[in-house]
Amino acid sequence: MHQGTIKITKAATSKLSTTDFNNLPFGRLFTDHMLLAEYKDGAWCDPEIVPYAPLSFDPSLATLHYGQSIFEGIKAFRMKDGSAAIFRPYENLKRFNKSAHRMAMPDVPEFHFIEGMKQLLKLEDKWIPTAEDHAMYIRPFMFATDEVIGVAPSSKYYFMIILSPVGPYFSKPLNIYVEEQYVRAAPGGVGYAKTAGNYAASLYPAKLAKEKGFDQILWMDAFEHKYVQECGAMNVFFVLDGKVITPSLEAGTILDGITRKSIVDLARSLGKVVEEREISIDELVAGYKNGTLTEAFGAGTAVTVSKISGLQYKDTHISLDASKMPIADEIKQSMAALRDGSAPDSFGWMVKANA
Ligand code: PLP
Ligand code: COI
C-alpha cells in the first residue's frame, strides 16, 4: 500500500456545539474538516485534511461541462463500546475504482481512500451520532479539474472526502411508481457506475412521479420495460412465496449495492432462501393477486432497509402492509445489531475507524 502522509490543518473554530443532533436532515450538515488530494502529472499527491470550506475553480472546469464525476456513500457507526466502525469500506473502494475505470478516471489508492477516511473520522470522532438509526455518512468523490472545453478525459482530478452526521433518509414506508417511459440504464452504459450523470438523469422522471404522489421510481429494463431493476438510491428486494428475491446484476445496469450483497449473505445466514435473478413486474403483480407477494423493501447505505408499502404499475396498485413484514424487520434488526456491535461481526464487515 502507498505509505504517504496526511497533513492535517485544523479548523480555527468548530460547528459542533451549534449542531442539533436531534434534528439531522439527511446530507445538509457537514463536519469541520474535509480530505482533499490532487491528481496531476500522472500521479496522486498526498492527501491533506483541511478545514471544510468552499472550493474555487475556473468556469471551464471539465467536470461542470462533461460530468466526469463519481462518488461513494459509506456509513460509520458508533459502537456500543464507544468506539466507531465503518461498514465494509473496502467494498466501496473496489466499486469506486470500477466507476473510475468506466469514466476514464485514475484509480484512487487504498491509502487515500481508507486511511484518509479513518484519519478524517478520528479527527471528527465527536461528530459521530449515537442515536438509533443515526450514523456518520461518508462521501468520497472524485471529479475532473482540467480547465479546458474540449471533450477528453481530464488530466487532473480532485479526490475528496466529506462527512455528514445523518438520521434516517426516509421517515415512512415508500409508495413507488413503476416507470415505463423513462429508462435509467441500458447494457453497455454506465448503470453500474456511481457517476453523477445517472443521478442527474433520474431527477426529471422522479419529479414527475413525485407530482403524482409517489416517493421514488422503480426503474425497469431498457428494452421491454418488463424486468425490475432498482430505485433511485437503493436496490430492491421482495418476499415472494416465502423466498427473498432481488434482481441479478449481470446486465451491468444496476448498481452493485453493498447493502444488497450484505443482505443476501445475512438473509442466507438467517436461514432464508435468497434468489438473485430476473424479476418481471408481471410476476410481482401475479404474486400480489394470489397473495404470495408479502414484502417489498429497498436497501442502500443512505436508506438502510426501507419498506415499500405501495407499487403503482399501470392501473394496478400493489398495496402491502408495512407492519406485517417480518423478514424485512429481521434483516433490518440484524444489520443494525451488527453495525452497533450488539451482535458479533461474524462476517468481518466492520472496520475500526480509529485503528
Ligand atoms: N442503487 C443506487 C442507484 C444507489 O444510489 C445506491 C446507493 O448507494 C444503491 C443502489 C445502494 O448501494 P449501497 O448499498 O452500496 O449504498
Ligand atoms: C447512498 O446510499 O450512499 C447513496 O449514494 C444514495 C444517495 C444518497 C444518492
Side-chain angles (χ1 to χ4, degrees):
M1 189 168 87
H2 173 99
Q3 291 297 347
T5 54
I6 302 180
K7 184 176 158 215
I8 299 177
T9 308
K10 288 204 179 159
T13 56
S14 173
K15 296 168 288 194
L16 187 61
S17 62
T18 54
T19 300
D20 178 5
F21 277 75
N22 295 314
N23 177 26
L24 292 174
F26 191 93
R28 289 186 186 275
L29 291 166
F30 300 95
T31 66
D32 294 324
H33 300 87
M34 59 188 189
L35 179 129
L36 197 153
E38 251 189 287
Y39 179 91
K40 57 184 180 192
D41 303 323
W44 283 102
C45 305
D46 279 347
E48 278 191 51
I49 291 175
V50 295
Y52 189 96
L55 304 168
S56 174
F57 287 110
D58 194 273
S60 66
L61 189 79
T63 196
L64 298 179
H65 299 269
Y66 307 121
Q68 237 191 331
S69 171
I70 61 170
F71 70 97
E72 271 303 327
I74 306 169
K75 274 180 177 168
F77 297 86
R78 178 67 69 203
M79 308 294 273
K80 285 265 185 267
D81 66 2
S83 66
I86 317 165
F87 187 74
R88 307 192 78 177
Y90 290 93
E91 291 297 320
N92 294 88
L93 170 62
K94 266 194 253 166
R95 188 172 67 188
F96 193 73
N97 282 336
K98 236 188 208 179
S99 300
H101 190 255
R102 180 62 181 85
M103 303 308 289
M105 300 165 95
D107 274 15
V108 168
E110 181 181 320
F111 178 82
H112 289 55
F113 195 94
I114 301 286
E115 190 57 30
M117 178 183 310
K118 284 185 178 174
Q119 296 246 354
L120 190 58
L121 282 167
K122 198 169 166 186
L123 188 63
E124 308 288 46
D125 184 71
K126 290 196 174 73
W127 284 86
I128 301 175
T130 48
E132 194 182 336
D133 280 338
H134 285 58
M136 180 67 91
Y137 186 80
I138 306 164
R139 172 52 62 90
F141 56 108
M142 170 168 41
F143 57 97
T145 55
D146 265 358
E147 291 150 353
V148 182
I149 300 199
V151 182
S154 182
S155 66
K156 292 188 295 169
Y157 297 88
Y158 268 26
F159 169 69
M160 299 189 64
I161 305 177
I162 55 176
L163 303 178
S164 177
V166 296
Y169 195 82
F170 296 122
S171 53
K172 58 176 183 48
L174 302 171
N175 189 22
I176 302 249
Y177 183 72
V178 179
E179 180 63 60
E180 283 190 279
Q181 184 184 357
Y182 298 100
V183 161
R184 179 182 177 276
V190 297
Y192 68 87
K194 212 160 163 58
T195 185
N198 280 336
Y199 297 82
S202 75
L203 297 176
Y204 178 64
K207 175 172 167 268
L208 297 182
K210 213 156 242 166
E211 283 166 7
K212 291 185 205 133
F214 298 96
D215 303 307
Q216 286 270 303
I217 282 173
L218 177 57
W219 298 104
M220 306 298 283
D221 74 283
F223 300 123
E224 297 177 80
H225 299 248
K226 186 174 161 188
Y227 296 100
V228 170
Q229 305 272 286
E230 64 180 322
C231 289
M234 58 193 202
N235 295 110
V236 283
F237 284 83
F238 303 92
V239 178
L240 186 69
D241 227 356
K243 293 178 188 156
V244 178
I245 61 172
T246 191
S248 47
L249 303 171
E250 290 93 64
T253 52
I254 300 179
L255 195 78
D256 182 0
I258 290 145
T259 317
R260 176 192 175 283
K261 72 172 69 162
S262 306
I263 288 177
V264 167
D265 290 347
L266 190 62
R268 285 191 177 131
S269 79
L270 294 169
K272 317 293 175 219
V273 175
V274 182
E275 291 176 356
E276 297 177 71
R277 61 172 172 84
E278 273 190 341
I279 301 170
S280 78
I281 187 69
D282 294 338
E283 184 184 1
L284 296 178
V285 169
Y288 172 60
K289 290 187 174 158
N290 68 23
T292 52
L293 178 71
T294 51
E295 303 189 30
F297 55 95
T301 299
V303 308
T304 63
V305 173
S306 288
K307 292 178 183 174
I308 296 170
S309 58
L311 282 161
Q312 184 73 36
Y313 176 59
K314 296 189 177 173
D315 294 337
T316 303
H317 187 74
I318 296 180
S319 178
L320 299 167
D321 184 349
S323 71
K324 294 195 184 112
M325 295 192 180
I327 294 182
D329 285 335
E330 190 183 358
I331 288 171
K332 189 173 169 140
Q333 281 155 17
S334 304
M335 283 284 252
L338 233 152
R339 285 166 158 172
D340 73 7
S342 46
D345 178 19
S346 45
F347 295 97
W349 287 341
M350 305 307 293
V351 173
K352 284 272 173 221
N354 39 10

